[in-house]
Amino acid sequence: MGAVATGAVGACGPGGQEAAALASSTGTPRAEGGIVVARGPVAVEAGVGALRRGGNAIDAAVATAFAQFITTPFSAGVGGFGCMVVYDARTRRAVSIDFHGRAGSKATPDIYRSALEGRIYGHADRWKVRGDINQIGYRSVVTPGTVAGLWEAWSRFGTRPWAELVEPAIRLAYDGFEIPRSLAGGFTTRTESSSGVVPFFTKVQTTEASARIFLNNGVPWRAGERLVQRDYARTLELIADGGADVVYRGEIAERIAADFERNGGLITLADLEAYTVDVYDPVRGTYRGHEVLSNALPGSGAQVIEILNLLEGYDLPSLEHGKADHVELLGRAQILSFIDRRRYHGDPRFIDDPTDILMSKDRAAELRGFIDRRELPPDIVEEPPEGPDTTHLSTADREGNCVALTHTLGSASGVVTEGLGFTWNNCMFQFNPVAGRPNSIAPGKARITGISPAVVLRDGQPILVTGAAGGTRILGAVQHTISNTVDFDMSALEAVSAPRWHWEDQLLEMEPQLYHHLKEELEGRGLDVANDAFVAQLHAVGIDPDTGRLSGGPDPRGWGGGSATV
């Protein structure tokens, strides 16, 4: 679960109560001053350091995210994108900050048409393109947004100096860190995944600059060896001094534009200069008297709320968690939402915004008929799960501020611009290469994503801050965590640790402890089931609105980390 730092007494949370920072008998990290829950204990400590220096939850989120650039270099970074939901305790209002990657001005709806080989079996939004040019190399990259998004959040809510928050990442890059076994396993991957993701060993050799950093003299790095990223450190020093402008209008932007021009990339200096972050009121739904705040399309907050709307018509607390009736009911709600996803989801700048349809209580009541009849609409098409190359962090502080932040590189392109040290996204891989669809390619357009950071309120006070890594599995995992908290009164750690399942195409995928237990019973009900060892990776913070006590929920499934401090 990572490091847990406990310390002195402090006022914390919406209730502002005084209490000691304690570890519960279940081992859940608890503290009354502030908490960071995220992938990677090393990155978590960067956020904890910001809290120790008097920073707030936003400062901690920014520091943690920058450190994750270094410790998870193929999951997040300067070349990535994401979304966050911030709850401001002073105003008791929440804001969504979206920093999606957007297709470059050289991207066209039919850019891959002549190389299109067909749909990847079982994955409707993943298409096989000759040479995998929509997934690796310069033509797979979109205009990045992560640094602009972090800068926007810090500018609005941060209290510590920007350079101070970037500094831990700079030190990590210069000094290096010991590669954990989970990251080392990725370095040795040589086979294509079932979802069509090009293996790491192939991808990392796409550019010479990438191979020099992420291979050790041509051999994959091993667990325990030290990964040093000096070029990345110097890039972060420029960002620490110049803020986001240096990436989009300054020295870094000019080097990026020149590199992409030389190598036939799709983004230009004008694309970088024109990039803007979207700041808006979160989409809002209700679930059994709770308010759920999340991100808008092309993110998946509306889909999370649609699933919850479907579930609200049933007495879930009366069901035994993780038994056949519970698994089937929740799974059917998920698959119905994915049918709507394939029909409606896209960038609302380019399509008629379907959010009101997706989040309608009346529509949920109508769709429940399919659940009750154990039927599916006849127009189901298969949809891909994205890979788990994403990272999420959740923070909260003593004043009651909260942040749910998810950022990613997609599954990474293998492109590193010479001298800059960071890996670029491969977001073009998730666009539909066939023109005329809601998720088709267009200059300036963002592709759909499973990212769905969420804050849940009870009586106007935050009780849960959550989000996940894992592609389209993200939204299902977020929905699981909300239901586990509201319907089954689980702590944050219990909610993220409970076995999960996911149904988005023909197969109901279950984690092994469910699959082996329920396979025969569910197949006897006519369901096609599959064993899946990894149904997203969640990181949540639970908040007791009466006492202000914070509880951390780092996911035990992967390289997690939970840390608490005053």
Side-chain angles (χ1 to χ4, degrees):
M1 282 164 44
V4 179
T6 59
V9 173
C12 159
Q17 304 296 317
E18 296 286 329
L22 300 172
S24 75
S25 59
T26 63
T28 305
R30 295 186 184 276
E32 310 314 337
I35 192 166
V36 178
V37 183
R39 182 180 181 186
V42 175
V44 165
E45 284 303 315
V48 168
L51 291 171
R52 287 190 180 122
R53 289 188 294 273
N56 61 16
I58 294 83
D59 298 316
V62 171
T64 303
F66 270 107
Q68 287 176 325
F69 289 6
I70 305 305
T71 60
T72 56
F74 268 72
S75 295
V78 172
F81 74 100
C83 310
M84 72 176 85
V85 177
V86 180
Y87 178 83
D88 179 7
R90 182 180 58 84
T91 62
R92 298 185 64 164
R93 293 186 60 188
V95 63
S96 283
I97 300 175
D98 284 2
F99 42 100
H100 291 290
R102 298 195 173 275
S105 55
K106 295 184 179 180
T108 60
D110 59 354
I111 190 169
Y112 305 124
R113 189 65 173 157
S114 63
L116 181 60
E117 295 181 349
R119 182 176 289 132
I120 295 173
Y121 177 75
H123 307 291
D125 272 5
R126 287 196 173 172
W127 300 74
K128 188 67 175 176
V129 170
R130 192 164 51 253
D132 294 306
I133 58 173
N134 62 338
Q135 183 180 174
I136 57 175
Y138 285 86
R139 289 161 68 84
S140 71
V141 179
V142 304
T143 309
T146 299
V147 175
L150 296 178
W151 177 264
E152 183 71 29
W154 173 81
S155 299
R156 288 172 175 266
F157 302 108
T159 62
R160 302 300 301 172
W162 170 260
E164 178 185 291
L165 302 178
V166 183
E167 176 60 27
I170 296 172
R171 289 200 312 271
L172 275 171
Y174 271 130
D175 297 342
F177 67 98
E178 283 191 12
I179 298 171
R181 189 171 302 278
S182 57
L183 184 58
F187 286 150
T188 59
T189 303
R190 294 174 184 258
T191 57
E192 185 174 283
S193 77
S194 61
S195 56
V197 175
V198 171
F200 173 87
F201 196 70
T202 300
K203 184 177 294 184
V204 76
Q205 297 178 79
T206 302
T207 55
E208 291 182 7
S210 174
R212 280 200 305 273
I213 299 167
F214 299 113
L215 295 177
N216 185 9
N217 294 317
V219 177
W221 291 98
R222 295 177 299 181
E225 293 182 328
R226 201 163 194 86
L227 181 60
V228 175
Q229 301 170 74
R230 293 190 180 89
D231 284 348
Y232 212 156
R234 287 187 283 269
T235 294
L236 292 178
E237 285 177 331
L238 292 173
I239 292 170
D241 290 341
D245 260 4
V246 74
V247 176
Y248 297 91
R249 296 163 192 86
E251 177 182 344
I252 294 174
E254 293 170 359
R255 293 168 69 179
I256 290 168
D259 182 38
F260 275 70
E261 177 67 26
R262 282 193 302 270
N263 290 283
L266 305 178
I267 61 176
T268 66
L269 183 60
D271 295 330
L272 292 165
E273 291 174 343
Y275 185 85
T276 57
V277 170
D278 293 326
V279 181
Y280 57 91
D281 289 337
V283 296
R284 294 172 180 263
T286 59
Y287 185 62
R288 305 195 201 281
H290 297 73
E291 192 170 14
V292 180
L293 314 180
S294 193
N295 61 337
L297 290 172
S300 291
Q303 188 173 353
V304 170
I305 293 168
E306 182 178 19
I307 298 171
L308 293 171
N309 285 343
L310 287 163
L311 296 176
E312 197 169 34
Y314 302 94
D315 185 10
L316 261 68
S318 71
L319 301 178
E320 191 170 356
H321 190 283
K323 297 301 183 182
D325 287 343
H326 183 214
V327 170
E328 182 180 0
L329 172 59
L330 194 148
R332 287 188 178 280
Q334 289 180 334
I335 185 62
L336 287 170
S337 78
F338 272 98
I339 293 170
D340 274 357
R341 178 186 183 87
R342 292 185 282 270
R343 182 181 293 125
Y344 294 116
H345 282 220
D347 185 340
R349 294 186 182 189
F350 291 79
I351 63 172
D352 291 335
D353 190 346
T355 300
D356 289 344
I357 297 173
L358 300 171
M359 294 175 51
S360 166
K361 298 281 190 181
D362 290 340
R363 178 169 182 76
E366 178 185 347
L367 290 176
R368 283 190 208 106
F370 289 102
I371 297 176
D372 297 338
R373 296 188 300 270
R374 287 187 161 89
E375 295 177 354
L376 293 177
D379 57 346
I380 180 172
V381 258
E382 296 171 336
E383 171 85 10
E386 298 173 44
D389 300 293
T390 301
T391 190
H392 178 85
L393 62 95
S394 296
T395 67
D397 64 30
R398 70 180 67 194
E399 305 300 330
N401 302 300
C402 310
V403 179
L405 164 61
T406 312
H407 58 129
T408 185
L409 295 174
S411 57
S413 64
V415 173
V416 173
T417 297
E418 188 67 51
L420 295 184
F422 62 84
T423 301
W424 284 95
N425 68 77
N426 66 343
C427 290
M428 294 298 292
F429 185 35
Q430 291 301 129
F431 276 115
N432 190 329
V434 179
R437 309 294 171 83
N439 193 40
S440 296
I441 301 166
K445 189 176 183 179
R447 52 88 156 176
I448 61 175
T449 173
I451 289 176
S452 44
V455 175
V456 179
L457 310 180
R458 179 188 296 154
D459 298 327
Q461 300 283 16
I463 66 161
L464 181 68
V465 185
T466 187
T472 46
R473 289 171 173 82
I474 290 172
L475 65 97
V478 170
Q479 164 264 305
H480 269 283
T481 311
I482 295 170
S483 176
N484 287 346
T485 301
V486 173
D487 293 319
F488 297 95
D489 198 29
M490 293 186 185
S491 70
L493 183 59
E494 291 168 336
V496 303
S497 302
R500 290 198 289 273
W501 56 98
H502 183 82
W503 193 1
E504 68 171 83
D505 55 34
Q506 302 294 346
L507 298 175
L508 171 56
E509 299 172 315
M510 297 180 287
E511 291 185 321
Q513 58 269 55
L514 292 174
Y515 174 79
H516 294 291
H517 180 59
L518 299 176
K519 177 179 184 292
E520 290 185 6
E521 184 173 0
L522 291 173
E523 286 181 339
R525 298 183 180 196
L527 302 180
D528 294 324
V529 299
N531 189 6
D532 191 329
F534 186 89
V535 183
Q537 186 179 33
L538 280 158
H539 295 295
V541 170
I543 307 168
D544 186 326
D546 296 321
T547 66
R549 172 170 287 187
L550 308 176
S551 61
D555 198 326
R557 288 167 179 79
W559 178 25
S563 188
T565 185
V566 293

